[in-house]
Amino acid sequence: MRQVVQLPLSHEEVFQGETEQQIPYHRMYGKQYCVPALTVYSPSEVLELRIAAEAVDGIYCKVMRFIQQYMPDSFLEHQLGIHPGLIPAARMEMVTGGITRQDWIIGEAGPKCIENNTDTPTGIPEAAALENILVGLAEDAALTAPSAEMDTRIRECFKMWLEFYTEQGLKGPVTFTSFGEHVEDRTNTEYLMRRCQEAGYEVFYAPLEELEIVPGEALYHRGREINLLYRLYPLEYLIDDRDETTGVEIGAALLELVREGRLGLMNPVQHVLMQSKGFMAAIWSLYERNEQTPEYCGFTLFDEAEMDVISRYLLPTYFSSEPFELNAISYVAKSYWGREGRGTLLLDGGRDNAFGKQDMEHPLNEALESNLASGATDEDEEITAYYENQPKIYQQLVPMEQAVIETEDGAYSGYLLTGVFVIGGRLAGILPRVGEKVTGDMAYYCAATVRERMNDEEEKEWKTWD
């Protein structure tokens, strides 16, 4: 059971003034999202997460380059599920190391990375700003904030990106965009925008719905040409976007600007390769066939240390459920572009086990499923169908650690998912969420904290990785 420290304050006492300004969406879907409590990690856990997450990030970037350089378009389209219109831009080799968030389960077998959000991760203000506020309210000198360096990592990442784009001839103000009326997305986007401004760059915010594109010419906002764009909008949505009035294929036109070197995107388009959950199956397939890679490309893809990282921190993941069904192993079916738990099923591999059949087939957390059942709209059903009808990958299931938190509705016993931000290739912050066995958008954010100082051995190892 994960230790949780409850703050001696109510939700209203915590989320007012500066705190409410930082996280205006501290309530979502008619209930608490942020709780006045702290999820406690030990120094050794955070140290291992740092080493592991940075190593996993390196594996992802290495496999991304391998796929860009050696795998045919058919692999990108069918095994990764990449829309054909995205493939040319996704093959462009941009600088590696962006803003990403890995999701980890910490259990008896050690930490396991179950997926990686590489295109449009959110939860950034929670870890970068709210965590420090909540740790301070605990008034316990033994508790520290593990995400204290996140703002620095964000500034460094934008500097890295913009120096790269300057070398490509792309200069000028950086425009940040998201749906203007979506409070969570806009808050995340504007938080990043302020960090970019602190790094010394001119910035603008432009609601996504106000952007205009002239195919073959440029992207504009109120007549101002945009050369550099951070967008909190998934590429798998963008590629299908069409102007209902003019019929212009917006996504295709924007990606053509990227291919022609007229527009620099952040995160770069290549991140869509890693965002596909098919990428996890591709990594495992390459891992199992590592000795065969010299026959294909003339070199062995993974060295001994990388093989150890994959076996230790990643999970067996396949394009078919057969390896799990044949061996009666519990597994997870995940839609290629699933988000917030949508399109995810927990399955028992054809045998009874400790999870129980009802729980194993739970596609979303109970609260969300209940809401949909009682008041589902046509739009809700359309969204559900969108995720459930996608191709799936299959990943070995590992138990999640339980945590009990106090909410306005009383004690809630849920399961801990630890988000780990890796920005510019380095660990930047931690985002704990407590929800159901499939972590959905009804999960609670319970900020991370680290108790006690490291011992001499841990501190020495930490400095080695710093």
Side-chain angles (χ1 to χ4, degrees), residues 153-410:
R153 299 285 176 260
I154 293 169
R155 289 190 289 266
E156 291 172 346
C157 187
F158 277 107
K159 187 173 185 292
M160 173 191 69
W161 274 335
L162 295 171
E163 286 179 349
F164 173 83
Y165 281 127
T166 296
E167 293 175 358
Q168 308 302 309
L170 292 171
K171 301 179 182 179
V174 185
T175 300
F176 287 73
T177 191
S178 67
F179 277 116
E181 296 182 358
H182 192 288
V183 176
E184 182 184 4
D185 284 2
R186 181 160 183 163
T187 303
N188 274 263
T189 303
E190 290 183 333
Y191 190 91
L192 291 172
M193 181 179 72
R194 290 192 291 273
R195 305 293 81 76
C196 184
Q197 186 177 39
E198 291 168 358
Y201 298 96
E202 185 180 4
V203 299
F204 291 94
Y205 178 81
L208 192 66
E209 54 269 28
E210 293 182 9
L211 297 182
E212 299 178 24
I213 191 164
V214 177
E217 182 179 311
L219 179 68
Y220 297 95
H221 178 243
R222 297 180 179 176
R224 178 178 58 83
E225 183 175 340
I226 297 171
N227 295 316
L228 297 163
L229 182 71
Y230 174 86
R231 41 91 210 164
L232 190 57
Y233 186 64
L235 289 171
E236 74 268 19
Y237 297 170
L238 176 68
I239 189 59
D240 289 323
D241 281 354
R242 178 190 297 269
D243 189 306
E244 295 181 0
T245 302
T246 65
V248 170
E249 295 182 349
I250 298 171
L254 188 143
L255 290 167
E256 187 61 25
L257 294 176
V258 172
R259 288 184 61 198
E260 293 174 353
R262 300 185 187 187
L263 179 65
L265 291 186
M266 294 163 276
N267 283 312
V269 180
Q270 64 186 10
H271 275 235
V272 76
L273 300 176
M274 299 184 289
Q275 178 69 33
S276 164
K277 290 183 175 63
F279 194 88
M280 297 186 293
I283 290 177
W284 197 261
S285 178
L286 290 166
Y287 163 76
E288 291 190 326
R289 295 164 177 79
N290 194 50
E291 294 181 357
Q292 300 172 25
T293 54
E295 302 173 12
Y296 183 75
C297 60
F299 59 89
T300 301
L301 181 59
F302 301 124
D303 62 26
E304 186 175 340
E306 291 165 334
M307 292 288 284
D308 183 62
V309 167
I310 295 170
S311 64
R312 185 187 299 266
Y313 296 119
L314 300 184
L315 290 165
T317 308
Y318 300 98
F319 294 107
S320 164
S321 63
E322 186 175 357
F324 302 117
E325 295 286 351
L326 288 175
N327 295 286
I329 296 172
S330 299
Y331 64 96
V332 186
K334 297 182 176 182
S335 295
Y336 271 48
W337 306 104
R339 292 176 183 270
E340 300 290 358
R342 293 181 175 90
T344 299
L345 293 169
L346 308 182
L347 301 163
D348 64 7
R351 66 188 177 103
D352 293 331
N353 56 44
F355 294 98
K357 186 172 179 60
Q358 181 177 0
D359 285 335
M360 295 300 295
E361 293 181 345
H362 216 301
L364 295 173
N365 64 66
E366 292 176 0
L368 181 57
E369 187 179 63
S370 176
N371 288 345
L372 290 176
S374 61
T377 65
D378 289 344
E379 183 180 1
D380 292 330
E381 294 176 357
E382 184 178 339
I383 291 171
T384 299
Y386 169 78
Y387 288 107
E388 290 184 351
N389 293 334
Q390 292 174 7
K392 288 179 167 43
I393 55 90
Y394 305 88
Q395 183 181 75
Q396 182 178 330
L397 187 147
V398 291
M400 300 178 74
E401 185 178 20
Q402 288 190 282
V404 177
I405 58 175
E406 289 296 326
T407 75
E408 293 176 323
D409 298 323

Side-chain angles (χ1 to χ4, degrees), residues 30-42:
K31 74 172 190 67
Q32 274 181 302
Y33 161 57
C34 302
V35 294
L38 300 169
T39 305
V40 181
Y41 296 84
S42 70

Side-chain angles (χ1 to χ4, degrees), residues 429-444:
I430 297 178
L431 186 86
R433 288 175 293 161
V434 179
E436 298 300 316
K437 291 179 180 178
V438 174
T439 308
D441 54 6
M442 300 291 284
Y444 295 93

Side-chain angles (χ1 to χ4, degrees), residues 1-6 37-39 401-407 410-416 434 446:
M1 179 77 70
R2 176 62 51 170
Q3 181 185 2
V4 174
V5 173
Q6 191 72 29
L38 300 169
T39 305
E401 185 178 20
Q402 288 190 282
V404 177
I405 58 175
E406 289 296 326
T407 75
Y412 172 77
S413 179
Y415 300 87
L416 175 66
V434 179
C446 186

